[in-house]
Amino acid sequence: MDKLVIRGGVPLKGSLRASGAKNASLPILIATILAPGEHRLVNVPELADTSSTLSLLGRIGCPSLVDGDAVRLDTTRIAFSEAPYDVVRKMRASVLVLGPLLARQGEARVSLPGGCAIGVRPIDQHLKGLEALGARFELERGTIHGRAGRLVGADIQLDMPTVTGTENILMAAVLADGTSVIRNAAREPEVVDLGRFLQSLGAHIEGLGTDTLTVHGVARLSPPSRPYAICPDRIETGTYLCAAAVTGGDVEVTHTDPTLLTAVLAKLEEAGCTVHTTPTTVRVQGPARLRPFTLETEPYPGFPTDMQAQLMVLATLADGTSELTEHIFENRFMHAAELLRMGAHIEASSHTAVVHGQERLLGGPVMASDLRASAALVLAGLAAEGPTEIHRIYHLDRGYERLVEKLQGVGARIARVEDHVAPEAALPAEPAAARAAAP
Ligand code: EPU
C-alpha cells in the first residue's frame, strides 16, 4: 500500500486547475442508462470512484472507453439489472442505479450499502420516493430487489433534502407517466448538473436549484449529439484554497465556478483570508495568522459538510477558539482524533467540535478514515513542522484527481511512496537543490 509523505511549512504559491466534480460525474455516468445509445461526457475526473462506476456499468452490460477526461459509454443494451455487493461495498453511490434501472428495465437489485466511516447513512428516502412512483421492494439476503411496471408520476415529500435520494427519484421520474413533484429536494450544484444532463437527453424538469422539482415524464430519452461537460468540483476547489490559507500562501484555482462556493469563501474571509474571484477562477491569500470562526454545516447553499474537516485544520491554527457544528452526518469528526496526534487542541462531542487554535502543528504518522478526513490530514501536513506520513490514502484516490501532482505544482513538498519507505528517503529534510547550493 502507498502512503503520502509531506514536509510542511512551505507557503503554497501558484495556480492549479480544478477537475470535474466527482459527485456530479457519478450520477451523470449512471443516468446514461436512461437513454439507450452512445454517450460522450467530458471533464470527467479520473478517480477510483469513476472507475468503480464504469466497472459497475460494464457489469450491467454498458461498455465504456476512457481517454483522459473524456468518456464514451454505450448504453444500447442492458444485460443485468444488478449492483452486486463487491461494487456497492467500495462505493455507496452505486445505489444510484436503482432509479434508472427501475425506469428502464422495470427491475433492479442493489446490495444494501450499510454504514460507513461517517455514519449509518440509510436509503429509506430513496425507497419511499421510488415506491411513490410505483416500485415495490423486497429485502433478500442484504440485497434490495425492486420491481416496477411503468412508473407513474407522484407527489413526493422528502423528510430531508438528501442528495443521492433526490437524484435517484429524479432519474426515475423523468421516464414516469405524468407529472411528479419532489418537495424538500436537495439543491446541491451536483443535483442541478444531473438535472441539466437529463434535460440534454430530453427530460422535462422545472425548478432545478430550488427545493421543489417538477418533472413531466416523457416516453423516451436519447443521448445528446454534443458531449456533455461535467461541472467543476467545488469541494476540490475549496480544499486547495484551504491549502493556501493554512500555509499563508497564495493559490489560484482555475476552471472552477466561485458562485458554487459562496459559503466556503465567506468562511475563508472570516478566517482572515483575502479572496479574489473571476467567473472561472478563485484566488486565496492566507494571512500571517488565521482568525477563529464558527461554522455549521447545512444543506446547500449552506456550508457543505464535505468542507468541514478542511476548515477544522484552519481552526487548529487560528488565533483563538473556533466552534464547528456538524448537522448532516452523525460521525464526521474522525479527523479530529488524528489532528490531536499532530498537536491540535480539539474537544469533539457527537456534533460539535471546539477547537483551540495554536501557532503550529507538528508532523507525524496519521491514518486517513474517509475521503474528506484524508484531505484535512493533507492540509495539516502542509502546515505542520517536520514530516507527516498519511496512511490509507486509497480514500484520497476516490475523490482527488492527481492530488500530489497538483500540490507539487504550487510548491508543496509531497510524495507518494510505498508504506515501508522512510520519510527521510521519500523527502529529504531540505530539497536537493537547496543542499547543493549551501556553502
Ligand atoms: N439520509 C437518510 N435517509 C435517506 C438518505 C439520507 O436518513 O434515505 C440522511 C443521511 O444519513 C445523512 C443526511 O440524510 O444524515 C444527508 O445525506 P445525503 O443523502 O444527502 O448524502 P448522500 O447523498 O449519501 C452525498 C454526497 C456526499 C455528501 C452528502 C451531503 C455523493 C455521491 N455523495 O451523499 O459526499 O457528503 O451528499 O452533501 O453525492 C464526499 O464526497 O466525500 C461525500 C461523502
Side-chain angles (χ1 to χ4, degrees), residues 363-392:
V366 286
M367 191 87 87
S369 56
D370 73 70
L371 174 56
R372 308 304 171 187
S374 313
L377 296 179
V378 171
L379 297 177
L382 291 169
E385 284 174 19
T388 297
E389 292 165 71
I390 307 177
H391 299 276
R392 297 203 183 157

PDB file of all heavy atoms in Angstrom, residues 363-392:
ATOM      1  N   GLY A 363       4.260  17.552  12.545  1.00  0.00           N
ATOM      2  CA  GLY A 363       4.093  16.398  11.659  1.00  0.00           C
ATOM      3  C   GLY A 363       4.223  15.094  12.428  1.00  0.00           C
ATOM      4  O   GLY A 363       4.771  15.052  13.536  1.00  0.00           O
ATOM      5  N   GLY A 364       3.711  14.021  11.833  1.00  0.00           N
ATOM      6  CA  GLY A 364       3.806  12.705  12.455  1.00  0.00           C
ATOM      7  C   GLY A 364       3.052  11.707  11.597  1.00  0.00           C
ATOM      8  O   GLY A 364       2.467  12.088  10.582  1.00  0.00           O
ATOM      9  N   PRO A 365       3.024  10.434  11.997  1.00  0.00           N
ATOM     10  CA  PRO A 365       2.250   9.457  11.231  1.00  0.00           C
ATOM     11  C   PRO A 365       0.770   9.549  11.583  1.00  0.00           C
ATOM     12  O   PRO A 365       0.423   9.600  12.761  1.00  0.00           O
ATOM     13  CB  PRO A 365       2.839   8.106  11.685  1.00  0.00           C
ATOM     14  CG  PRO A 365       3.469   8.378  13.002  1.00  0.00           C
ATOM     15  CD  PRO A 365       3.767   9.838  13.115  1.00  0.00           C
ATOM     16  N   VAL A 366      -0.094   9.616  10.585  1.00  0.00           N
ATOM     17  CA  VAL A 366      -1.542   9.674  10.815  1.00  0.00           C
ATOM     18  C   VAL A 366      -2.250   8.745   9.839  1.00  0.00           C
ATOM     19  O   VAL A 366      -1.686   8.337   8.824  1.00  0.00           O
ATOM     20  CB  VAL A 366      -2.115  11.113  10.665  1.00  0.00           C
ATOM     21  CG1 VAL A 366      -1.740  11.989  11.835  1.00  0.00           C
ATOM     22  CG2 VAL A 366      -1.693  11.734   9.344  1.00  0.00           C
ATOM     23  N   MET A 367      -3.517   8.454  10.160  1.00  0.00           N
ATOM     24  CA  MET A 367      -4.285   7.484   9.393  1.00  0.00           C
ATOM     25  C   MET A 367      -5.533   8.150   8.821  1.00  0.00           C
ATOM     26  O   MET A 367      -6.288   8.780   9.562  1.00  0.00           O
ATOM     27  CB  MET A 367      -4.713   6.388  10.376  1.00  0.00           C
ATOM     28  CG  MET A 367      -5.275   5.176   9.766  1.00  0.00           C
ATOM     29  SD  MET A 367      -3.952   4.068   9.354  1.00  0.00           S
ATOM     30  CE  MET A 367      -3.779   3.197  10.907  1.00  0.00           C
ATOM     31  N   ALA A 368      -5.757   7.996   7.527  1.00  0.00           N
ATOM     32  CA  ALA A 368      -6.953   8.565   6.900  1.00  0.00           C
ATOM     33  C   ALA A 368      -8.148   7.651   7.146  1.00  0.00           C
ATOM     34  O   ALA A 368      -8.004   6.435   7.095  1.00  0.00           O
ATOM     35  CB  ALA A 368      -6.706   8.713   5.406  1.00  0.00           C
ATOM     36  N   SER A 369      -9.333   8.240   7.428  1.00  0.00           N
ATOM     37  CA  SER A 369     -10.508   7.412   7.724  1.00  0.00           C
ATOM     38  C   SER A 369     -11.590   7.518   6.651  1.00  0.00           C
ATOM     39  O   SER A 369     -12.329   6.587   6.408  1.00  0.00           O
ATOM     40  CB  SER A 369     -11.100   7.816   9.069  1.00  0.00           C
ATOM     41  OG  SER A 369     -11.402   9.196   9.062  1.00  0.00           O
ATOM     42  N   ASP A 370     -11.734   8.650   6.030  1.00  0.00           N
ATOM     43  CA  ASP A 370     -12.658   8.794   4.902  1.00  0.00           C
ATOM     44  C   ASP A 370     -12.097   9.878   3.994  1.00  0.00           C
ATOM     45  O   ASP A 370     -11.063  10.484   4.304  1.00  0.00           O
ATOM     46  CB  ASP A 370     -14.092   9.101   5.373  1.00  0.00           C
ATOM     47  CG  ASP A 370     -14.262  10.510   5.895  1.00  0.00           C
ATOM     48  OD1 ASP A 370     -14.220  11.453   5.094  1.00  0.00           O
ATOM     49  OD2 ASP A 370     -14.434  10.703   7.120  1.00  0.00           O
ATOM     50  N   LEU A 371     -12.797  10.102   2.900  1.00  0.00           N
ATOM     51  CA  LEU A 371     -12.233  10.987   1.873  1.00  0.00           C
ATOM     52  C   LEU A 371     -11.888  12.388   2.385  1.00  0.00           C
ATOM     53  O   LEU A 371     -10.764  12.865   2.225  1.00  0.00           O
ATOM     54  CB  LEU A 371     -13.247  11.063   0.723  1.00  0.00           C
ATOM     55  CG  LEU A 371     -12.961  12.025  -0.405  1.00  0.00           C
ATOM     56  CD1 LEU A 371     -11.606  11.756  -1.017  1.00  0.00           C
ATOM     57  CD2 LEU A 371     -14.061  11.905  -1.458  1.00  0.00           C
ATOM     58  N   ARG A 372     -12.869  13.055   2.993  1.00  0.00           N
ATOM     59  CA  ARG A 372     -12.602  14.457   3.371  1.00  0.00           C
ATOM     60  C   ARG A 372     -11.715  14.542   4.610  1.00  0.00           C
ATOM     61  O   ARG A 372     -10.962  15.508   4.769  1.00  0.00           O
ATOM     62  CB  ARG A 372     -13.917  15.207   3.579  1.00  0.00           C
ATOM     63  CG  ARG A 372     -14.890  15.087   2.411  1.00  0.00           C
ATOM     64  CD  ARG A 372     -14.308  15.528   1.078  1.00  0.00           C
ATOM     65  NE  ARG A 372     -15.196  15.188  -0.042  1.00  0.00           N
ATOM     66  CZ  ARG A 372     -14.898  15.322  -1.322  1.00  0.00           C
ATOM     67  NH1 ARG A 372     -13.706  15.780  -1.694  1.00  0.00           N
ATOM     68  NH2 ARG A 372     -15.761  14.994  -2.262  1.00  0.00           N
ATOM     69  N   ALA A 373     -11.777  13.530   5.494  1.00  0.00           N
ATOM     70  CA  ALA A 373     -10.852  13.486   6.626  1.00  0.00           C
ATOM     71  C   ALA A 373      -9.422  13.376   6.098  1.00  0.00           C
ATOM     72  O   ALA A 373      -8.491  14.004   6.616  1.00  0.00           O
ATOM     73  CB  ALA A 373     -11.182  12.293   7.521  1.00  0.00           C
ATOM     74  N   SER A 374      -9.241  12.610   5.035  1.00  0.00           N
ATOM     75  CA  SER A 374      -7.910  12.461   4.436  1.00  0.00           C
ATOM     76  C   SER A 374      -7.423  13.793   3.898  1.00  0.00           C
ATOM     77  O   SER A 374      -6.247  14.156   4.048  1.00  0.00           O
ATOM     78  CB  SER A 374      -7.941  11.475   3.270  1.00  0.00           C
ATOM     79  OG  SER A 374      -8.634  10.317   3.608  1.00  0.00           O
ATOM     80  N   ALA A 375      -8.334  14.532   3.257  1.00  0.00           N
ATOM     81  CA  ALA A 375      -7.957  15.839   2.714  1.00  0.00           C
ATOM     82  C   ALA A 375      -7.507  16.763   3.840  1.00  0.00           C
ATOM     83  O   ALA A 375      -6.542  17.520   3.706  1.00  0.00           O
ATOM     84  CB  ALA A 375      -9.138  16.449   1.968  1.00  0.00           C
ATOM     85  N   ALA A 376      -8.203  16.663   4.991  1.00  0.00           N
ATOM     86  CA  ALA A 376      -7.839  17.503   6.135  1.00  0.00           C
ATOM     87  C   ALA A 376      -6.431  17.157   6.616  1.00  0.00           C
ATOM     88  O   ALA A 376      -5.639  18.045   6.959  1.00  0.00           O
ATOM     89  CB  ALA A 376      -8.848  17.305   7.270  1.00  0.00           C
ATOM     90  N   LEU A 377      -6.093  15.876   6.625  1.00  0.00           N
ATOM     91  CA  LEU A 377      -4.760  15.482   7.094  1.00  0.00           C
ATOM     92  C   LEU A 377      -3.684  15.980   6.131  1.00  0.00           C
ATOM     93  O   LEU A 377      -2.589  16.358   6.556  1.00  0.00           O
ATOM     94  CB  LEU A 377      -4.691  13.959   7.264  1.00  0.00           C
ATOM     95  CG  LEU A 377      -5.642  13.400   8.336  1.00  0.00           C
ATOM     96  CD1 LEU A 377      -5.518  11.880   8.425  1.00  0.00           C
ATOM     97  CD2 LEU A 377      -5.365  14.031   9.700  1.00  0.00           C
ATOM     98  N   VAL A 378      -3.997  16.002   4.843  1.00  0.00           N
ATOM     99  CA  VAL A 378      -3.037  16.556   3.880  1.00  0.00           C
ATOM    100  C   VAL A 378      -2.808  18.038   4.200  1.00  0.00           C
ATOM    101  O   VAL A 378      -1.671  18.510   4.260  1.00  0.00           O
ATOM    102  CB  VAL A 378      -3.540  16.389   2.426  1.00  0.00           C
ATOM    103  CG1 VAL A 378      -2.650  17.152   1.448  1.00  0.00           C
ATOM    104  CG2 VAL A 378      -3.616  14.912   2.060  1.00  0.00           C
ATOM    105  N   LEU A 379      -3.885  18.767   4.455  1.00  0.00           N
ATOM    106  CA  LEU A 379      -3.751  20.200   4.773  1.00  0.00           C
ATOM    107  C   LEU A 379      -2.923  20.388   6.044  1.00  0.00           C
ATOM    108  O   LEU A 379      -2.046  21.257   6.103  1.00  0.00           O
ATOM    109  CB  LEU A 379      -5.124  20.848   4.963  1.00  0.00           C
ATOM    110  CG  LEU A 379      -6.046  20.863   3.740  1.00  0.00           C
ATOM    111  CD1 LEU A 379      -7.390  21.482   4.104  1.00  0.00           C
ATOM    112  CD2 LEU A 379      -5.405  21.626   2.590  1.00  0.00           C
ATOM    113  N   ALA A 380      -3.203  19.549   7.045  1.00  0.00           N
ATOM    114  CA  ALA A 380      -2.458  19.666   8.302  1.00  0.00           C
ATOM    115  C   ALA A 380      -0.980  19.389   8.046  1.00  0.00           C
ATOM    116  O   ALA A 380      -0.104  20.099   8.562  1.00  0.00           O
ATOM    117  CB  ALA A 380      -3.030  18.685   9.332  1.00  0.00           C
ATOM    118  N   GLY A 381      -0.701  18.395   7.225  1.00  0.00           N
ATOM    119  CA  GLY A 381       0.689  18.064   6.887  1.00  0.00           C
ATOM    120  C   GLY A 381       1.380  19.211   6.168  1.00  0.00           C
ATOM    121  O   GLY A 381       2.556  19.496   6.401  1.00  0.00           O
ATOM    122  N   LEU A 382       0.646  19.901   5.296  1.00  0.00           N
ATOM    123  CA  LEU A 382       1.240  21.015   4.544  1.00  0.00           C
ATOM    124  C   LEU A 382       1.600  22.179   5.468  1.00  0.00           C
ATOM    125  O   LEU A 382       2.523  22.949   5.198  1.00  0.00           O
ATOM    126  CB  LEU A 382       0.253  21.512   3.475  1.00  0.00           C
ATOM    127  CG  LEU A 382      -0.004  20.555   2.307  1.00  0.00           C
ATOM    128  CD1 LEU A 382      -1.188  21.050   1.470  1.00  0.00           C
ATOM    129  CD2 LEU A 382       1.241  20.412   1.427  1.00  0.00           C
ATOM    130  N   ALA A 383       0.848  22.294   6.576  1.00  0.00           N
ATOM    131  CA  ALA A 383       1.086  23.408   7.504  1.00  0.00           C
ATOM    132  C   ALA A 383       2.078  23.032   8.605  1.00  0.00           C
ATOM    133  O   ALA A 383       2.672  23.914   9.225  1.00  0.00           O
ATOM    134  CB  ALA A 383      -0.237  23.833   8.142  1.00  0.00           C
ATOM    135  N   ALA A 384       2.262  21.734   8.864  1.00  0.00           N
ATOM    136  CA  ALA A 384       2.987  21.289  10.064  1.00  0.00           C
ATOM    137  C   ALA A 384       4.503  21.423   9.936  1.00  0.00           C
ATOM    138  O   ALA A 384       5.052  21.478   8.836  1.00  0.00           O
ATOM    139  CB  ALA A 384       2.625  19.833  10.344  1.00  0.00           C
ATOM    140  N   GLU A 385       5.118  21.418  11.114  1.00  0.00           N
ATOM    141  CA  GLU A 385       6.589  21.354  11.159  1.00  0.00           C
ATOM    142  C   GLU A 385       6.991  19.890  11.135  1.00  0.00           C
ATOM    143  O   GLU A 385       6.398  19.073  11.831  1.00  0.00           O
ATOM    144  CB  GLU A 385       7.086  21.960  12.467  1.00  0.00           C
ATOM    145  CG  GLU A 385       7.025  23.462  12.463  1.00  0.00           C
ATOM    146  CD  GLU A 385       7.390  24.036  13.832  1.00  0.00           C
ATOM    147  OE1 GLU A 385       8.021  23.325  14.645  1.00  0.00           O
ATOM    148  OE2 GLU A 385       7.023  25.188  14.060  1.00  0.00           O
ATOM    149  N   GLY A 386       8.022  19.580  10.374  1.00  0.00           N
ATOM    150  CA  GLY A 386       8.506  18.200  10.329  1.00  0.00           C
ATOM    151  C   GLY A 386       7.677  17.341   9.394  1.00  0.00           C
ATOM    152  O   GLY A 386       6.612  17.759   8.936  1.00  0.00           O
ATOM    153  N   PRO A 387       8.168  16.124   9.103  1.00  0.00           N
ATOM    154  CA  PRO A 387       7.467  15.287   8.122  1.00  0.00           C
ATOM    155  C   PRO A 387       6.179  14.669   8.653  1.00  0.00           C
ATOM    156  O   PRO A 387       6.112  14.282   9.814  1.00  0.00           O
ATOM    157  CB  PRO A 387       8.490  14.187   7.806  1.00  0.00           C
ATOM    158  CG  PRO A 387       9.404  14.154   8.973  1.00  0.00           C
ATOM    159  CD  PRO A 387       9.411  15.513   9.590  1.00  0.00           C
ATOM    160  N   THR A 388       5.175  14.601   7.801  1.00  0.00           N
ATOM    161  CA  THR A 388       3.908  13.924   8.105  1.00  0.00           C
ATOM    162  C   THR A 388       3.786  12.739   7.165  1.00  0.00           C
ATOM    163  O   THR A 388       4.099  12.851   5.976  1.00  0.00           O
ATOM    164  CB  THR A 388       2.737  14.900   7.863  1.00  0.00           C
ATOM    165  OG1 THR A 388       2.874  15.990   8.774  1.00  0.00           O
ATOM    166  CG2 THR A 388       1.387  14.234   8.082  1.00  0.00           C
ATOM    167  N   GLU A 389       3.336  11.599   7.720  1.00  0.00           N
ATOM    168  CA  GLU A 389       3.076  10.437   6.867  1.00  0.00           C
ATOM    169  C   GLU A 389       1.589  10.136   6.972  1.00  0.00           C
ATOM    170  O   GLU A 389       1.080   9.952   8.081  1.00  0.00           O
ATOM    171  CB  GLU A 389       3.816   9.210   7.385  1.00  0.00           C
ATOM    172  CG  GLU A 389       5.308   9.270   7.268  1.00  0.00           C
ATOM    173  CD  GLU A 389       5.899   8.183   8.152  1.00  0.00           C
ATOM    174  OE1 GLU A 389       5.769   6.990   7.805  1.00  0.00           O
ATOM    175  OE2 GLU A 389       6.457   8.538   9.198  1.00  0.00           O
ATOM    176  N   ILE A 390       0.914  10.049   5.848  1.00  0.00           N
ATOM    177  CA  ILE A 390      -0.523   9.735   5.862  1.00  0.00           C
ATOM    178  C   ILE A 390      -0.730   8.345   5.261  1.00  0.00           C
ATOM    179  O   ILE A 390      -0.384   8.104   4.098  1.00  0.00           O
ATOM    180  CB  ILE A 390      -1.335  10.782   5.079  1.00  0.00           C
ATOM    181  CG1 ILE A 390      -1.004  12.192   5.611  1.00  0.00           C
ATOM    182  CG2 ILE A 390      -2.831  10.503   5.189  1.00  0.00           C
ATOM    183  CD1 ILE A 390      -1.695  13.309   4.874  1.00  0.00           C
ATOM    184  N   HIS A 391      -1.292   7.460   6.090  1.00  0.00           N
ATOM    185  CA  HIS A 391      -1.549   6.089   5.654  1.00  0.00           C
ATOM    186  C   HIS A 391      -2.996   5.943   5.187  1.00  0.00           C
ATOM    187  O   HIS A 391      -3.835   6.770   5.485  1.00  0.00           O
ATOM    188  CB  HIS A 391      -1.260   5.126   6.809  1.00  0.00           C
ATOM    189  CG  HIS A 391       0.172   5.206   7.258  1.00  0.00           C
ATOM    190  ND1 HIS A 391       1.187   4.514   6.654  1.00  0.00           N
ATOM    191  CD2 HIS A 391       0.763   5.955   8.221  1.00  0.00           C
ATOM    192  CE1 HIS A 391       2.329   4.794   7.242  1.00  0.00           C
ATOM    193  NE2 HIS A 391       2.109   5.681   8.199  1.00  0.00           N
ATOM    194  N   ARG A 392      -3.261   4.843   4.499  1.00  0.00           N
ATOM    195  CA  ARG A 392      -4.605   4.523   3.961  1.00  0.00           C
ATOM    196  C   ARG A 392      -5.100   5.584   2.986  1.00  0.00           C
ATOM    197  O   ARG A 392      -6.244   6.055   3.080  1.00  0.00           O
ATOM    198  CB  ARG A 392      -5.628   4.369   5.089  1.00  0.00           C
ATOM    199  CG  ARG A 392      -5.286   3.239   5.992  1.00  0.00           C
ATOM    200  CD  ARG A 392      -6.514   2.748   6.701  1.00  0.00           C
ATOM    201  NE  ARG A 392      -6.144   1.705   7.622  1.00  0.00           N
ATOM    202  CZ  ARG A 392      -6.853   1.351   8.682  1.00  0.00           C
ATOM    203  NH1 ARG A 392      -7.978   1.965   8.954  1.00  0.00           N
ATOM    204  NH2 ARG A 392      -6.445   0.387   9.455  1.00  0.00           N
TER     205      ARG A 392
END
